[in-house]
Every structure is written in C-alpha cells, then in structure tokens.
Amino acid sequence: MGLRLGTAADIPAILAIQQQAPALSQWSQSLYQEIFRAGSRRIVLVVANAEVEGFLVAREIGEEWEIENIAVAVRARRCGVATALLADIMRRAYSCGACAIFLEVRESNHPARRLYEKENFTIAGRRPAYYAAPVEDAIIYRRLLG
Ligand SMILES: CC(C)(COP(=O)(O)OP(=O)(O)OC[C@H]1O[C@@H](n2cnc3c(N)ncnc32)[C@H](O)[C@@H]1OP(=O)(O)O)[C@@H](O)C(=O)NCCC(=O)NCCS
C-alpha cells in the first residue's frame, strides 16, 4: 500500500474523497493550501496507488495529537486503507514524543467508531450537540501510545 506524506498536488483528490463523505467536516481548498504551507502544525498522510485512495489530517499538539479528518474513497473502503493511515500516524506521533492521540466522531458514525474501537481507541468523553446539520453529540476517542 503506497502510504506517504501528502502534498499540495493531492488537494483535488482529497477534496473529491471528502465530497464522498457527507458526515465529514467539509474543509475548503484554501484551508488545505494553508495546511501545506511551511510551518503548519498539521500533518497530512495519503494512501495512493494509481490514485489517492484515502487521507488523514492530524494536528500536533504537544503530547496529545488530534486526528482531525480521515476518509477513504468509496471504491477503496474495507481494504485496510484507514487502518494503515491510523497505524502510521500513531507511529509518527509516538516517535515525536506524544503519549496519546484523540479524535471526535459523530455518535451515529458506526463504521468509524468500529474502526477506532478495533484499533484500541477508548471512549474518553462526549461533547453534547457538538455537530450541526443534524445536531448530534460528538464522542471523544483516545488511544494511549507505546
Ligand atoms: C470510516 C472509514 C474511514 C473507514 O475506512 P476503511 O479504509 O474502509 O476502513 P478499514 O478497511 O481500515 O476497516 C477497518 C475496520 O473498521 C471497521 N469498519 C470499517 N468500515 C466499516 C463499516 N462500513 N461497517 C462496519 N465496520 C466497519 C471494521 O471493523 C473494519 O475491519 P474489517 O473490514 O476487518 O471488518 C470510511 O468508511 C470512510 O471514509 N467513511 C466516511 C468518512 C468518515 O466517516 N470518517 C470518520 C470521521 S470521524
């Protein structure tokens, strides 16, 4: 599986995958351009074979990193792409000295919640009515590293 750091050239493919995932925060092209500028505290990983199959965006926040966005193209789902992205970001975070990684997910997003639970993330909290359209709680998942 071709897993690498993303570049600005991947933005069109990332936006296309994002559009296939209505439950996801729909970030703009300009926000991704900002992320790829030097000095950003965000890391983008992509799985790319002939085309980009999936991506992950994480924010380095000291000892606790945050996964902000993760999505896989519909055609490439259930092939281990997200699992590979999670494994890689956890390795990177640990090697940079982080002790945990966390994320928020819509309560009703069962595919994503199963993925995180399979990867040994555990529920660390809940943010009531965190999401809009439709209003829904966020479940916070956290995974200790190392
Ligand atoms: C959630 C998502 C990222 C999973 O990506 P993926 O590459 O298909 O996941 P993987 O193939 O690595 O799946 C790993 C495990 O997650 C769970 N899982 C993944 N998709 C699932 C589904 N649709 N239903 C139930 N469990 C699922 C399973 O346990 C799976 O293991 P298995 O295939 O051996 O049963 C993908 O469905 C997606 O892009 N969804 C839309 C965007 C989104 O919701 N992102 C999360 C925001 S918090």
Side-chain angles (χ1 to χ4, degrees), residues 86-146:
L86 286 178
D88 196 78
I89 199 65
M90 289 193 284
R91 264 196 304 274
R92 284 172 193 268
Y94 184 62
S95 69
C96 289
C99 60
I101 195 155
F102 72 96
L103 56 85
E104 283 140 7
V105 59
R106 278 186 181 269
E107 185 170 25
S108 65
N109 191 343
H110 297 294
R113 293 184 62 178
R114 287 211 186 152
L115 165 72
Y116 303 138
E117 285 167 11
K118 192 174 177 192
E119 293 306 308
N120 298 315
F121 283 71
T122 54
I123 293 177
R126 171 187 289 268
R127 296 191 206 282
Y130 181 75
Y131 294 104
V135 173
E136 191 174 356
D137 291 1
I139 305 298
I140 304 167
Y141 277 94
R142 190 161 176 268
R143 163 76 142 82
L144 294 176
L145 303 174

Side-chain angles (χ1 to χ4, degrees), residues 44-65:
V44 180
L45 299 176
V46 299
V47 166
N49 297 310
E51 296 174 74
V52 175
E53 313 281 21
F55 72 95
L56 176 154
V57 184
R59 196 152 55 122
E60 307 172 49
I61 330 173
E63 292 188 344
E64 294 223 6
W65 286 26

Side-chain angles (χ1 to χ4, degrees), residues 6-7 10-19 32 36 44 46 52 55:
T7 71
D10 297 316
I11 293 174
I14 287 172
L15 291 173
I17 293 171
Q18 202 178 252
Q19 278 172 8
Y32 282 109
F36 287 118
V44 180
V46 299
V52 175
F55 72 95

Side-chain angles (χ1 to χ4, degrees), residues 15-23 26 72-77:
L15 291 173
I17 293 171
Q18 202 178 252
Q19 278 172 8
Q20 295 174 16
Q26 299 291 312
V72 174
V74 170
R75 65 174 183 279
R77 287 185 188 165

